[in-house]
Each structure stands twice: as C-alpha cells, then as structure tokens.
Amino acid sequence: MARKSRQNEQIQRIKNYKSVKPESVLPVNHTALYARLSLYDMNHVCRDSIQNQISMLEEYMENHPELNLVERYIDNGWSGTNFQRPGFLRMIQDIQSGKINCIVTKDLSRLGRNYLETGYYLEILFPMMGVRYISINDRFDSDTSDPSQLPIILKNILNDFFSRDLSRRFSDSYDLRKAQGVFRKGFPYGYTFDPEKPRYLTFDPNVSHFVRLIFQWGIEGVSTHTISMRLREMKAPTQERVEFLRSGGKTKHEGSTLWSTTSVRLILTNRVYTGDFVCGKCYNRKCDPYNKRTRIPEEEWVIIPNAHPAYISHEDFDKLQKRFEQTTKHYKNAVKQNAAIYQNQPNFYKRILFCQVCGHKIQMTGADAEHPADSVMGYACQSAGSSVLDPHPQNHISKKLLDVIVLAQLQNQFRVAARFKHWMLSSEGKNKISACLSSLQLVLDQTHQQSCILAENRADAFESHADFQIDDETFGLQLEQLRSQSRILSSELAQQANTLIQVKQALSLSNPWLILFTQTPAPHKLDSSTVHQLIERIELNYSEQVTIHFKEESWFLLLCNLYDTLMGGE
C-alpha cells in the first residue's frame, strides 16, 4: 500500500511535469551521473568505490560528446533496496523540474536492487517523463533497448535476490555472534570493549562511577527526576557525548550533560547491567521484509548470564523493577481515578506557567481521588529541592487563588485598553498626539537638514581642493571630519525615523496591544483559549507572588510611557 501511494504521488507529479510548456523542456542530452555504494566509502582502495564509479562514468561521457553533463548525484552508504536516498530523490526532483532528462549509471544494480521498484522506474516513470537511461556494464540504453526485455528483467531479479541473500548471510553471522555473547555495536552506557577480549564488554573507566551512583541512588529510592538533576549538576556526559568523544568527534551529534528522566530510567531497567548479555528484542531484516516484529516477548530474547562484569546484582535489580512496576501502576491508577477531578478543574496554564526561581515549568498538582470534595488543586514547582548545588523551597499556589489573580489582571487590562482608546478618540488626546508627532517630525526634519548641510560642506571641500585653495593635508582632515559627522547624523536620522514610526503606531488604534484587548469584551470567567490568546507567560515567586506577561506587552509599555509624558504624570 505504501509503494502504491508513493507511485500515485509520483504519477501525479509527472502529470504536472507534462503540463509544462515545451520550450521549458531541455534537449535529450542533458545528463546526470548517478553512483551508489551500500557500505560507506571512506576513500579506501576497493574495486567498486564511489570514486571508481565516477571515473568510469566520466570516461563514458568523454567518449560520448553528444551527452552534456549537468550534475553528479552520489548516495554513499545507501542500500539499493531503499529508494528513499537523498541523492536519488534530489535527482528525481531535478528531472521533474526539467533540469535533466538523461541518467547514466555503472550498471542496473546501482539504480536499485528492488526488482519491483527498479522495474517501475525503468518501464513506467522514466518513459513517461521522457528520460533516457543508460547502464554502461549492462549495455542498456532506453533509446535503443526495451526495459521489458527478458535479459533486463532477469538482471533486476538477480540483483534483488543478491541483496536478500547478502542480508540473510549477514543475519546468520549476527545470530552466531549473538549465541556467543558478542556485542556487535552500540554497547550500553558505562561499558566499553575489553582490550584483552575484543567484542566483549568491560567497565568504561571514564563514566563507570556515574553508573554506580545511578544504581546506588535507585536502590536508595531516589526518583529518576532527582537523579537526572544530580547528574546535570555533576556534568556527567550523556551516551551521545561519550560516543562523540570516543569516536574523536566523528559522530553526528556532540551530545551534552543534559540528562533526562527517560535516560536514567533506561539504565535502571536494562538487564545488561546485571552482567547478562541481552539481545533479540526485535526482528527487522531485509531478507525477511514481511516478518517485522518491533517487540518480541521477553521469553524469546537471547540471554547469556554472566557474560560481562556487572554493576548491580540480580536481587537488587529485581527489587528495582518491582518498585518501577508499582510506581507505574500507581501512576496509571491515579490518572484514571483523578480524570474526573481534573476535568472539573481544568488547567488553564499549560506551557505558560513557570517558576521564577529556577525557570522550570510548573504543573498542576493536588488531586485526591479518595476524597475528591476535599481536593485542593494547585500549582507547585516539582524541581524544588531536586538540585544538588542550588536547592530552593517549594514554590506553590492554589488553583483558586491563581485563577482569581489572573482573571482580575485580565479584566484590568481590558479596562486600561478601553480608557486608552477613549483618550485617543477624544479631542484632548488627538491634540496631544498630533503635537507629539509634529515635534518628532520637526526633530527629524532638522536632522535631515543638518545632513544636507554636511553634504554641501563636503562638496565645497572638494571644490576648494580642486581649485588649490586648500592643500592635501587640510582637505584630508576636513573630509575625515565631515565623514565622521555624516555617520553620526545618519545613525541619528535612522533612529529618529524608527522612533517616529513606532510612536505613530503606539498612539493609534492600530497598536497591536490595543487591538488585542479591545476586539472582544472583557472575560467574566477563565478558559484555556482566552488565557493562551492574551497571556505570554506567568511566573510564580515565593509568597504566592504572581507576575503576568501579556501578549504585545512591549507596545503596552511604550503607550504607557508616552501617555505619562504627554499628560505630565496626570
């Protein structure tokens, strides 16, 4: 179904492509060279390297001057069974845009090893788009050969079979190594390969002490969130950071010291740390594409006891897992039982309520499923006390009090906006605003006039120097002084013009803050939509102090300052 959907999309794009005017379509000889290699080529000397493929293709181009080279497309380290390759997709896009209409590859297997999709491109897609395809080693040219001929079909079938057979042999070899307890790649955090027994694990001396601390805290009952915060404070490198340092900076991501609760939990629930070799948790092989199992039952895993050194005993590990199971069960029951409570008292401040002390988001807490009538919903900073170096007391406020504060402040913003609008429309306000804008315009005109005078002085200096009235040294000093004054005036002119534009908008009905708080009536009760539409951020400090930052707050502050200036603090 996925292949049919993709093919339908491509056929639709072809129809759009065919509707392009004929003069935009390029001649037949605008050619692309395409090279592909399954294993990543690190410039090693090998028979079928990327460079060897490109050399062969370029030599072919030299012997065929009727082909005009437009672009080279390379997929280094991409399997032929997968057509979602960056170079190949870019080539298809260029074909659809009319940039190229001839493709040259070393052989058919470079184009692809999937029999069905390769045949689809050769027999349907390329002919519909008017693309000429040339395979050098197969002596195939779509201008003189038919892709539906038996030899071409057989070669595509053999390429597909070769890919599946190679995958099957790799899989069999992998199964053999699994049975011996050999790690192929991606060893867990805190382990590295044993130098005396290659492909077997031993402790990583660089981070083993962090792993021991994680399990020690886990056994003591410390939460995963607290453990992650402690690791952050200790600047313990994450798995990505360790791999980056181990590879000498050759991995895709550098990693960091920002641990998460998920990372800690994955370590505390991984049986590998008991010394057991564990693999075969999923099944997904190219040689058996219709038998994909993302999750395999634990009783079917490959487990070899005591295959490498252990960080934790089996007894302590089992205790940890039981505790995690109880915590998960308790959490799910609480969520299920408290659903009605949270529904009756919804959280209006998701993603906008923060602790002003530590900067973390604040969540709703306090539901009691056993006594819902006595539940006091509130908001509390869950990061309080979890930091090793900088703990702070828990920062909390009741939901009822926060709702009252937010609603009162929102209604006050609407009242203030209505007063500002009434003042702008009054004769007094119009006169004040007009006088303010005229004053700013006058300052701008004066600065512009000074700039014109400087330009005239500069022209006079050039004339005086040309008439030999001043020497070179005097002319240079005058010119440098005039340039310095001109730069200062240009900066002032730009600043004054920007100020005039901002003040004009702030003192008009097009002020973004004024529009936001006058386009609808003031709310009489809170809802999530209203809160998120009007409020940017809410910060909670000690002693239930609440700071609310409304949307378009900068325009509100500018309007307030201008009003105070114009009205003289009235």
Side-chain angles (χ1 to χ4, degrees):
M1 292 298 293
R3 184 182 295 115
K4 285 185 178 180
S5 175
R6 188 162 59 250
Q7 291 178 357
N8 291 335
E9 291 177 2
Q10 291 171 335
I11 290 173
Q12 184 60 42
R13 288 199 298 268
I14 293 167
K15 292 179 179 178
N16 297 334
Y17 166 81
K18 283 196 167 281
S19 64
V20 178
K21 294 182 179 179
E23 51 266 28
S24 66
V25 180
L26 298 174
V28 179
N29 60 352
H30 283 68
T31 308
L33 303 183
Y34 180 72
R36 181 191 62 78
L37 196 66
S38 295
L39 299 177
Y40 191 76
D41 179 16
M42 297 295 292
N43 295 323
H44 296 310
V45 178
C46 58
R47 180 178 59 85
D48 197 25
S49 67
I50 285 291
Q51 189 56 46
N52 287 346
Q53 289 186 46
I54 294 295
S55 299
M56 173 186 285
L57 296 174
E58 290 177 344
E59 182 179 353
Y60 182 85
M61 294 290 293
E62 292 176 359
N63 297 330
H64 294 77
E66 74 277 6
L67 301 178
N68 179 27
L69 178 59
V70 176
E71 186 66 79
R72 298 173 180 84
Y73 301 89
I74 298 174
D75 282 318
N76 198 358
W78 287 85
S79 169
T81 60
N82 176 19
F83 279 82
Q84 301 302 308
R85 317 171 213 140
F88 183 82
L89 294 176
R90 186 166 62 90
M91 181 175 67
I92 296 297
Q93 289 177 355
D94 288 344
I95 290 174
Q96 293 170 347
S97 65
K99 182 178 179 180
I100 60 174
N101 45 26
C102 181
I103 303 172
V104 180
T105 64
K106 175 194 167 187
D107 52 46
L108 286 167
S109 65
R110 296 308 93 196
L111 182 66
R113 289 190 179 275
N114 185 298
Y115 162 65
L116 293 176
E117 293 212 33
T118 304
Y120 163 72
Y121 280 100
L122 290 178
E123 299 180 28
I124 300 177
L125 190 66
F126 290 164
M128 289 182 66
M129 301 181 72
V131 175
R132 178 184 179 185
Y133 174 71
I134 301 172
S135 173
I136 299 175
N137 287 352
D138 299 307
R139 297 182 180 179
F140 174 82
D141 187 340
S142 61
D143 272 6
T144 58
S145 305
D146 185 359
S148 61
Q149 290 178 348
L150 183 60
I152 301 300
I153 295 176
L154 289 176
K155 284 184 178 180
N156 285 332
I157 292 175
L158 288 175
N159 288 332
D160 196 336
F161 173 79
F162 174 79
S163 176
R164 294 177 185 272
D165 182 64
L166 187 64
S167 176
R168 187 174 290 105
R169 280 185 282 166
F170 272 114
S171 299
D172 292 342
S173 174
Y174 181 43
D175 289 339
L176 179 61
R177 290 197 298 270
K178 285 195 302 183
Q180 297 172 349
V182 176
F183 264 84
R184 187 166 62 102
K185 61 179 180 178
F187 32 80
Y189 184 81
Y191 283 107
T192 187
F193 283 139
D194 192 337
E196 298 180 359
K197 296 175 62 179
R199 296 295 177 181
Y200 288 86
L201 299 185
T202 188
F203 296 133
D204 185 349
N206 297 317
V207 295
S208 59
H209 53 289
F210 292 121
V211 180
R212 291 190 177 92
L213 281 174
I214 291 173
F215 280 105
Q216 177 183 337
W217 289 329
I219 293 171
E220 292 173 356
V222 181
S223 68
T224 54
H225 174 77
T226 302
I227 294 176
S228 67
M229 295 299 296
R230 291 179 179 180
L231 292 172
R232 289 189 182 192
E233 299 292 352
M234 298 171 69
K235 299 190 181 301
T238 58
Q239 177 76 6
E240 283 189 346
R241 185 63 180 171
V242 170
E243 292 176 357
F244 175 79
L245 297 174
R246 186 180 287 144
S247 67
K250 295 181 180 179
T251 58
K252 185 176 181 180
H253 301 288
E254 294 186 8
S256 65
T257 58
L258 298 178
W259 284 79
S260 64
T261 56
T262 303
S263 302
V264 174
R265 190 180 182 92
L266 286 175
I267 291 176
L268 292 174
T269 57
N270 194 341
R271 185 171 171 176
V272 169
Y273 292 97
T274 64
D276 295 347
F277 174 86
V278 181
C279 67
K281 297 181 180 180
C282 63
Y283 184 96
N284 187 1
R285 295 177 178 176
K286 294 176 182 177
C287 62
D288 193 8
Y290 301 104
N291 185 16
K292 294 182 180 180
R293 288 179 287 169
T294 56
R295 242 185 124 71
I296 293 178
E298 186 173 350
E299 55 269 16
E300 298 181 23
W301 293 356
V302 177
I303 300 176
I304 300 177
N306 304 319
H308 50 265
Y311 277 101
I312 185 174
S313 65
H314 286 84
E315 293 76 12
D316 289 338
F317 182 79
D318 292 339
K319 291 179 183 178
L320 269 176
Q321 306 321 301
K322 290 180 180 178
R323 184 185 304 159
F324 278 126
E325 290 176 3
Q326 292 174 356
T327 303
T328 303
K329 185 178 180 180
H330 180 269
Y331 173 77
K332 289 182 178 179
N333 290 336
V335 170
K336 186 176 180 180
Q337 294 173 355
N338 296 331
I341 301 176
Y342 283 100
Q343 186 174 4
N344 294 331
Q345 302 187 55
N347 181 10
F348 303 134
Y349 315 108
K350 288 182 179 179
R351 299 181 298 277
I352 64 171
L353 181 60
F354 294 84
C355 174
Q356 200 171 46
V357 181
C358 65
H360 288 89
K361 290 181 181 178
I362 295 180
Q363 307 296 333
M364 179 186 281
T365 59
D368 187 353
E370 296 182 1
H371 306 285
D374 301 331
S375 294
V376 179
M377 304 300 293
Y379 299 90
C381 178
Q382 302 300 318
S383 301
S386 62
S387 176
V388 175
L389 300 180
D390 189 23
H392 66 83
Q394 192 174 51
N395 202 0
H396 61 86
I397 189 172
S398 69
K399 173 177 169 53
K400 184 177 293 186
L401 177 59
L402 183 58
D403 288 348
V404 170
I405 293 174
V406 171
L407 181 59
Q409 291 298 317
L410 274 175
Q411 292 175 342
N412 183 62
Q413 287 283 299
F414 276 90
R415 284 193 295 269
V416 172
R419 291 174 184 172
F420 273 126
K421 184 176 180 179
H422 180 267
W423 173 75
M424 289 179 184
L425 296 175
S426 66
S427 57
E428 180 187 19
K430 290 179 180 179
N431 293 335
K432 295 283 187 181
I433 293 172
S434 178
C436 176
L437 296 179
S438 299
S439 175
L440 292 175
Q441 184 65 50
L442 179 62
V443 173
L444 182 63
D445 293 340
Q446 291 174 351
T447 306
H448 186 267
Q449 186 176 4
Q450 293 177 15
S451 179
C452 293
I453 293 173
L454 278 179
E456 293 176 359
N457 293 340
R458 185 177 178 182
D460 292 342
F462 274 101
E463 291 180 4
S464 299
H465 181 257
D467 294 340
F468 302 102
Q469 297 178 10
I470 57 175
D471 55 19
D472 292 343
E473 183 178 358
T474 304
F475 172 70
L477 291 174
Q478 288 183 2
L479 191 61
E480 181 61 31
Q481 185 179 10
L482 289 171
R483 285 175 176 171
S484 176
Q485 294 175 357
S486 179
R487 283 194 295 268
I488 295 173
L489 278 179
S490 297
S491 177
E492 291 180 358
L493 196 64
Q495 185 176 0
Q496 290 170 2
N498 185 54
T499 300
L500 179 60
I501 293 172
Q502 288 189 340
V503 169
K504 183 179 288 188
Q505 185 170 6
L507 292 174
S508 69
L509 299 180
S510 63
N511 184 319
W513 172 83
L514 199 63
I515 294 175
L516 187 65
F517 285 93
T518 57
Q519 62 183 355
T520 58
H524 297 290
K525 63 178 182 178
L526 291 179
D527 60 74
S528 182
S529 176
T530 301
V531 170
H532 284 80
Q533 181 183 358
L534 301 176
I535 297 178
E536 186 74 34
R537 181 185 178 98
I538 302 175
E539 296 176 351
L540 178 62
N541 205 339
Y542 300 137
S543 304
E544 299 179 338
Q545 297 177 359
V546 178
T547 303
I548 303 176
H549 298 278
F550 295 97
K551 296 285 182 71
E552 307 295 349
E553 192 173 53
S554 59
W555 289 103
F556 168 70
L557 296 175
L558 178 58
L559 178 57
C560 288
N561 292 333
L562 290 171
Y563 179 82
D564 290 341
T565 302
L566 295 177
M567 301 303 292
E570 294 181 8

